Amino acid sequence: MIAFKRLDHVQICIPVGNESEARKFYTEVIGLQEIPKPKELIKNGGLWFKISDIQLHIGTEDVLNNSKRHPAFEVSNLDTARQHLEKNGIKIKEEIQIPGQNRFKFFDPFGNRIELLQKM
């Protein structure tokens, strides 16, 4: 059996060469803290961000597909988060609600789906 400890990181992707736009979205709109990538990986492009005790890795790819892959982040202020995103022109998409939590999704400028949830 595998003894999992915690989620370490989630990776999503953006088109090659769009790091500046991603940096602006993830730092200025979402409010994440960018962290340095290991020097060995800088040549691959992309960005890394810190979210609480996990990391969001944004890689670059020539071809992106529209999949269900996404990070889901638990927040303590879902309504405030929704208002902030809408104020910044980010369209909210409702998710099917499940017992014990409220949630919604939105998309970054590159089509990556991101879910925010608040447990009740």
Side-chain angles (χ1 to χ4, degrees), residues 38-87:
K39 66 180 179 179
E40 297 83 0
L41 299 179
I42 292 172
K43 66 181 183 231
N44 295 338
L47 307 161
W48 285 13
F49 295 93
K50 179 179 170 54
I51 302 174
S52 186
D53 65 344
I54 64 169
Q55 294 178 10
L56 175 64
H57 296 179
I58 300 178
T60 58
E61 292 181 333
D62 289 325
V63 178
L64 300 178
N65 62 18
N66 194 7
S67 73
K68 292 182 179 181
R69 68 180 178 228
H70 70 280
F73 301 106
E74 183 177 355
V75 300
S76 60
N77 62 344
L78 193 66
D79 292 335
T80 302
R82 176 190 297 262
Q83 292 168 3
H84 173 74
L85 291 168
E86 290 174 336
K87 183 176 136 188

